[in-house]
Amino acid sequence: MIQPPGTPSSRRRRHDREIIALAVPAFGALVAEPLFVMVDSAIVGHLGTPQLAGLAVAAALLTTAVSIFVFLAYATTAAVARRVGAGDLASAIRQGMDGIWLALLLGVAVIALTLPLAPWLTEVFGASSTAAPHAITYLRISSLGIPAMLVVMAATGVLRGLQDTRTPLYVAIGGFAANAALNAGLVYGAGLGIAGSAWGTVIAQLAMAAAYLAVVVRGARRHGASLRPDAAGIRACAQAGAPLLVRTLSLRAVLLIATAVAARLGDTDIAAHQIILSLWSLMAFALDAIAIAGQAIIGRYLGADDAQGAREACRRMVEWGIASGVVLGILIVLTRPLFVPLFTSDTAVRDALLPALLVVAATQPIAGVVFVLDGVLMGAGDGPYLAWAMLVTLAVFAPAALLVPTLGGGLGALWCAMALMMIVRMATLWLRTRSGKWLVTGATR
């Protein structure tokens, strides 16, 4: 075991510098992603209500399809970071290329399913007869950009593993600007309507993928790494990602159950729930940035056979997560009179919002610990445990949430169930990190 040099204070400062250097650009890139949909919504919204409704349905489908494959970024980050820690950059980039090839294969498969199933999918998601044609058009065209979106995910994982979160930020900013310009030009300038918005987004996504590939290919040539697809390597990436897929699907199930329960509580509660969920997601971006830093830093320490350094980095990132959660919780309470009116002027919705909002504020420090430990265990390549832990969490949350309407509870009770979900996640993740079983060192797990 390598003992990190310097005093405990100097090592903490070094960890702080590493966390800030990786987390701040990662936060910028994360925030840039949802801006794509916001720009599309703003531009398409002026075409008419049916077009905007169609976009809403198609965007929900696309977001769900792509978010399922977020393991392409997570698993790739951990695997590449380990090899970086071991000093084998050629192998690190080779591992990243396997992830990119897997992304391409999955993207093509998604297109093959989406094109013929688009009408059925929009119907299942409840598109009205007037919105459905626009949803189908947008979904079919936008699906052509899914391989590029998945390549961006995998390539982002490569760069994060290489301890580079600045390049993803620059690419995200460039992609956002290109998407806005293309959408405006194609929707209004070329008169293509909602199809123009879809094509603009696809072109922007292809440009982002090309930018990422140029960076990765340049690195591969510099270090003599092969760019050809390797069946064994692609299979290994898929196997490493499978547990994280289970984790992601379980988490999506939690959010879907919460939304379904809120809908059963009535229009007022579901409207308030949507506002809180949007806010909760925004807070998650800040905390997820620290988790992304954790994935890269922990993977590198373990790859360098430095278990002590990984422990210290984990401890410091947990402190960052708690502090960030406290700050976010206080901000929610203090700024509530400012942001709530931006979402709704309905007094009933505001009244339903308040108890649940206080629960969200109170649980932000817990969320900070959860996000950080999630990132730490991902960086350690501990996917099977993360899958098991999320399934346990789902098993606890589902009955608690489904009992809310039966027992006459309101939105506050539902978000108490969400708080329970976060507490269970924190408990399972804390037990694992405390056990030390995640501290598996070496270039591969």
Side-chain angles (χ1 to χ4, degrees):
M1 179 184 295
I2 301 172
Q3 179 65 32
T7 64
S9 177
S10 67
R11 292 199 296 270
R12 278 198 302 272
R13 287 195 296 270
R14 185 184 66 197
H15 291 315
D16 288 344
R17 288 193 296 269
E18 288 180 333
I19 293 167
I20 292 170
L22 291 170
V24 172
F27 175 70
L30 287 169
V31 171
E33 292 174 10
L35 293 179
F36 271 73
V37 177
M38 290 179 62
V39 167
D40 289 1
S41 299
I43 292 174
V44 171
H46 291 286
L47 294 174
T49 301
Q51 288 89 339
L52 185 58
L55 171 65
V57 172
L61 285 163
L62 288 165
T63 301
T64 300
V66 173
S67 64
I68 288 172
F69 299 112
V70 72
F71 70 84
L72 289 167
Y74 294 159
T76 304
T77 297
V80 171
R82 275 184 175 271
R83 287 161 174 78
V84 168
D88 190 352
L89 289 178
S91 177
I93 296 174
R94 172 65 263 179
Q95 177 75 27
M97 284 304 305
D98 291 335
I100 290 172
W101 280 111
L102 176 61
L104 280 172
L105 292 173
L106 291 172
V108 171
V110 172
I111 291 177
L113 290 172
T114 303
L115 290 178
L117 293 177
W120 177 77
L121 289 170
T122 56
E123 181 181 351
V124 168
F125 265 63
S128 66
S129 58
T130 54
H134 302 294
I136 293 168
T137 296
Y138 191 92
L139 182 59
R140 280 180 166 161
I141 296 172
S142 293
S143 69
L144 301 177
I146 287 179
M149 294 171 72
L150 299 188
V151 166
V152 166
M153 275 190 181
T156 299
V158 177
L159 295 180
R160 288 173 181 170
L162 294 170
Q163 317 297 296
D164 175 9
T165 56
R166 291 183 178 273
T167 300
L169 173 61
Y170 300 147
V171 174
I173 292 172
F176 169 71
N179 181 59
L182 287 165
N183 268 260
L186 294 174
V187 171
Y188 297 115
L192 296 180
I194 195 169
S197 177
W199 280 118
T201 301
V202 168
I203 294 169
Q205 289 162 348
L206 289 170
M208 290 174 68
Y212 273 115
L213 288 174
V215 173
V216 174
V217 168
R218 186 167 62 245
R221 287 175 175 168
R222 185 185 307 124
H223 297 288
S226 173
L227 298 174
R228 294 181 180 180
D230 176 66
I234 293 171
R235 274 197 308 273
C237 285
Q239 289 168 355
L244 295 180
L245 176 61
V246 173
R247 168 204 167 272
T248 301
L249 289 174
S250 300
L251 183 56
R252 296 294 299 183
V254 165
L255 299 178
L256 287 173
I257 290 171
T259 301
V261 170
R264 290 178 61 190
L265 296 175
D267 290 348
T268 297
D269 283 322
I270 186 61
H273 174 75
Q274 184 57 39
I275 294 171
I276 295 172
L277 199 58
S278 299
L279 180 66
W280 192 69
S281 299
L282 180 61
M283 299 300 102
F285 284 134
L287 299 175
D288 204 27
I290 304 174
I292 287 169
Q295 293 171 30
I297 292 170
I298 294 299
R300 192 190 74 231
Y301 274 118
L302 294 178
D305 292 325
D306 188 356
Q308 181 61 27
R311 275 190 183 278
E312 290 183 357
C314 173
R315 188 180 303 113
R316 190 58 178 159
M317 279 183 284
V318 168
E319 292 170 357
W320 271 78
I322 294 171
S324 300
V326 169
V327 171
L328 291 173
I330 293 172
L331 282 175
I332 290 172
V333 174
L334 294 180
T335 61
R336 177 177 55 84
L338 300 177
F339 69 78
V340 170
L342 297 176
F343 288 99
T344 181
S345 57
D346 189 322
T347 305
V349 174
R350 292 186 185 185
D351 290 342
L353 197 65
L354 180 58
L357 201 59
L358 294 177
V359 173
V360 171
T363 54
Q364 284 307 296
I366 295 172
V369 176
V370 168
F371 275 79
V372 167
L373 293 183
D374 209 36
V376 165
L377 295 183
M378 283 183 190
D382 206 9
Y385 182 85
L386 288 172
W388 173 85
M390 199 61 226
L391 286 171
V392 170
T393 302
L394 176 60
V396 173
F397 169 76
L402 294 173
L403 279 173
V404 169
T406 304
L407 299 177
L411 191 63
L414 174 59
W415 276 90
C416 283
M418 289 288 284
L420 173 64
M421 179 269 295
M422 295 301 290
I423 291 170
V424 173
R425 286 189 73 188
M426 183 177 69
T428 56
L429 297 174
W430 179 79
L431 287 171
R432 184 63 168 183
T433 52
R434 185 175 175 82
S435 74
K437 293 180 180 178
W438 56 281
L439 289 165
V440 180
T441 59
T444 59
R445 184 177 171 86

